[in-house]
Amino acid sequence: MEPTPYRFENSLPDELLQQRQQPRVEDIRGRYFRDTTAIIHCNPFRRLKHKTQVFFSPKNDHICTRIEHVMHVASIAAAVCRGLDLDADLAWAIGLGHDLGHTPFGHVGEHIMADIRKDSGGFVHELYSLRVVDHLIGYGKGLNLTYAVRDGIVSHCGEKFEQSIIPVQEMKDLGALTGRNHLPSTWEGAVVRMADKIAYLGRDLEDALQLKIVKREDVPEEVVANLGAENGVIINTLVSDLIDTSRKSGAVAFSDEKYHAMKVLTEFNYRNIYRNPLLSDYHRYFDRILRSLYDYLEELFDRYRFDEGQYRREKNLLAVRFGDYVCKMRSFYEGEDGGFRNLAVDYVAGMTDDYALECIQEIMLPQKMETQFDQFLLGN
C-alpha cells in the first residue's frame, strides 16, 4: 500500500507570514500576487535582463541571462507548489525576487564585491537582495513586501545542495541575519531553494553545449541515464521526483537516486563550465573594472559629498547619476543605514554588465573629451 501523502502546512499563522513592514490596504490581487507585481515593476528586476547568469554579457539571444533564470526558478517553484498543495503565488513572488541583489558579472562579481568589503562584512547576494527590496528600491522606501516573501528571498541559497529541507517555521529578524546558514520559514521558501538548483543545473549545461564549451558525449552516463541530457528533460525529471519524494517523506526532498545524479551533474558543471579557462580568464578583467568603479565613486563622494554641481563638473554621466543618487538617498544612509560605508558598493552592485563596461570606459576616456578632440582635429 502506498503511504498516505504528507500534507504540508506552515505552522506560522497567515497574519504573521503576510505581515508587511508598513501597513497597507490590500486589494483583490491577494498579498503574495501583489508582491509579484511590485517586483516585476521595479528597476532592479528590469536590470536583470542585462546581468550575467553564467556566460558573460551574451550576444546570443538564446543564452540564459539573470532575468530568465529568475523566471525559470519562479515557474518551477510554482509547479512544485501546485503538486504539494502549497501557495503558488508565494513561490512566484520569492522566485522572481530572489536574485535582485546579484552583482554584474554573476558570481564572479559577487566574489569581487565580497573581497572589496572583506573588512566591513563582506557581500552575500542573498542578504543584499533583501537590502534591495527593503531599502534601495524607491530611494529608501523599499517595496514593503510580506514577511514570507522577504524571508524566502534572503533564505534562498542555491549553492547549498541539501537532499531535503524542512523549514524552521519561526519568525526571524531578517535584517539581522548574516551569512547563508539559515533556512526559510515556509514550505514555499524551501521549494524555491530547491527550484533554484533545478533551474540552473540543466540550463547551464544546455548553454555550454550550445557554445561548444562541453560536448554531449562528455556528460556523465549516470546523469544521462537518471536525469536526461537536455534541460527540459532534466527539469521535468527533477520536478516530478521532488514532488513524489516530498509527498512521501514529509520534507521537500529528492530521492537518493536523483539526488546522487544531481550531485554528479553539479560536479561536472563546476569542473567543465564554471571553472573553465574560457570563463575564468575574464575574471581578472572584471576585478579591475569593479574595483576601479568602486574606488572612483568612493573618491567622488569623499571629495564632493552632497554638492551636485561638483559631480557635474566631472564631465561624465556616471558622476552625474551618482551625484543624483547620493542626494536622493541621503536621508536613508544618514538615518536607517547609519552612515555612507555602503554607498559605493550599493551603486556598483546594482549595475548591469553593460553599464559597468560603459562606465569604466567613460571614466577612463570620457565621451565629451573624445568629441572635443575630434572637433579639434577637424578644425585644423
Side-chain angles (χ1 to χ4, degrees), residues 46-59 63-70 99 101-110 125 200 204 207 273-274 279 282-283 286 290 349-357:
R46 296 182 181 118
R47 291 197 293 267
L48 293 179
K49 64 185 174 182
H50 296 300
K51 287 195 175 189
T52 290
Q53 171 60 17
V54 171
F55 300 99
F56 154 68
S57 192
K59 301 304 179 186
I63 299 301
C64 190
T65 61
R66 185 65 57 175
I67 199 167
E68 292 174 58
H69 169 69
V70 302
D99 271 354
H102 244 299
T103 63
F105 311 129
H107 285 285
V108 174
E110 179 177 5
H125 83 267
Y200 73 72
D204 293 349
D207 287 350
I273 302 173
Y274 311 139
L279 298 180
Y282 284 98
H283 295 182
F286 300 154
L290 295 183
M351 292 180 172
T352 64
D353 298 8
D354 290 342
Y355 185 54
L357 292 173

Side-chain angles (χ1 to χ4, degrees), residues 219-261:
V219 181
E221 182 56 37
E222 181 177 351
V223 172
V224 176
N226 289 290
L227 301 182
E230 297 178 357
N231 183 41
V233 177
I234 293 172
I235 289 175
N236 184 66
T237 300
L238 288 174
V239 166
S240 298
D241 181 75
L242 188 62
I243 293 171
D244 292 343
T245 307
S246 299
R247 285 170 65 85
K248 296 172 184 176
S249 69
V252 178
F254 296 106
S255 67
D256 291 341
E257 180 184 69
K258 303 307 180 189
Y259 177 70
H260 190 269

Side-chain angles (χ1 to χ4, degrees), residues 263-282:
K263 290 285 286 183
V264 173
L265 176 57
T266 303
E267 292 166 4
F268 175 84
N269 282 4
Y270 270 91
R271 184 172 61 255
N272 295 279
I273 302 173
Y274 311 139
R275 299 189 186 115
N276 191 299
L278 288 173
L279 298 180
S280 59
D281 283 351
Y282 284 98

Side-chain angles (χ1 to χ4, degrees), residues 202-213:
R203 184 56 195 268
D204 293 349
L205 175 62
E206 180 180 271
D207 287 350
L209 289 167
Q210 182 167 340
L211 293 171
K212 303 187 186 309
I213 290 177

